[in-house]
Amino acid sequence: MKLNLMILLALLGSPLAFADEKHDHGKETKEEHAGHDHDHDHGDHDDHDHDHGDEKKGPNGGHLVESKSGIILEVVVDKERKARVTFLDKDKKAAKLEAQTITGTAGERSAPVKLAFAKGKDDDANVLISDKALPEGAHVAMILVIKTAADAKAVTERFELHLH
């Protein structure tokens, strides 16, 4: 009987032991909010303006992808919701498009949009443009498979575009 009572007390007291780990975001400044580690789903507060401080911007204001393999690219979404990818050099300036290729997938796993990228023309000669529009929504998950040359090993990059 005493053992059951001890187990019951331990179970009831365990939420209190972890209470300090929870905190109210409503009273802290952006600097305080950014200054500590935390995991949360951005989907629970899509209804307000939110600064994604960990998201790096490219020279054209797009999403900056810096691969561990040394590839740097910027992904910009145009008014037709097509992804436009520009390869960048180490100084984050547009690099000449040569034999680089990209394929990808965008959106939710339950309804993915397969993307093929083709080289643009004229002013967009150094831009790879998706053949299809990205799915609707302010946050679009993307997976890009990048090759810098025909015989190069493919590099896969996963990220989320914040389109607001």
Side-chain angles (χ1 to χ4, degrees):
M1 182 71 171
K2 286 184 181 183
L3 182 60
N4 288 341
L5 182 59
M6 289 174 50
I7 292 172
L8 181 62
L9 288 174
L11 289 173
L12 290 175
S14 61
L16 297 174
F18 297 105
D20 287 344
E21 290 183 16
K22 303 252 182 210
H23 57 276
D24 181 15
H25 286 287
K27 296 179 183 169
E28 62 187 358
T29 66
K30 281 187 178 182
E31 290 79 20
E32 291 169 333
H33 180 74
H36 62 269
D37 292 334
H38 62 285
D39 288 328
H40 65 275
D41 179 16
H42 290 289
D44 63 352
H45 49 254
D46 284 340
D47 59 338
H48 68 274
D49 189 23
H50 188 79
D51 178 24
H52 295 276
D54 58 339
E55 183 178 327
K56 296 178 183 173
K57 297 289 184 185
N60 298 306
H63 182 86
L64 190 63
V65 178
E66 296 183 76
S67 171
K68 291 178 184 173
S69 66
I71 298 170
I72 305 172
L73 19 120
E74 179 181 26
V75 181
V76 176
V77 179
D78 65 18
K79 63 184 177 216
E80 297 171 353
R81 288 189 68 90
K82 290 190 176 183
R84 301 170 53 86
V85 180
T86 304
F87 284 81
L88 304 175
D89 62 19
K90 62 181 173 143
D91 298 322
K92 298 191 176 64
K93 304 269 190 234
K96 186 174 181 187
L97 192 59
E98 295 171 1
Q100 300 98 322
T101 61
I102 296 179
T103 57
T105 306
E108 299 297 323
R109 287 184 181 190
S110 60
V113 175
K114 299 284 186 190
L115 302 172
F117 288 80
K119 187 174 181 176
K121 294 180 172 84
D122 301 324
D123 288 343
D124 291 332
N126 290 317
V127 180
L128 290 174
I129 304 169
S130 66
D131 61 336
K132 296 177 189 157
L134 297 178
E136 292 298 317
H139 302 279
V140 178
M142 288 195 74
I143 301 172
L144 296 181
V145 179
I146 307 155
K147 290 184 82 173
T148 55
D151 59 347
K153 183 178 177 184
V155 174
T156 303
E157 289 295 326
R158 291 173 172 79
F159 56 92
E160 186 169 293
L161 285 174
H162 301 285
L163 305 175
H164 48 80

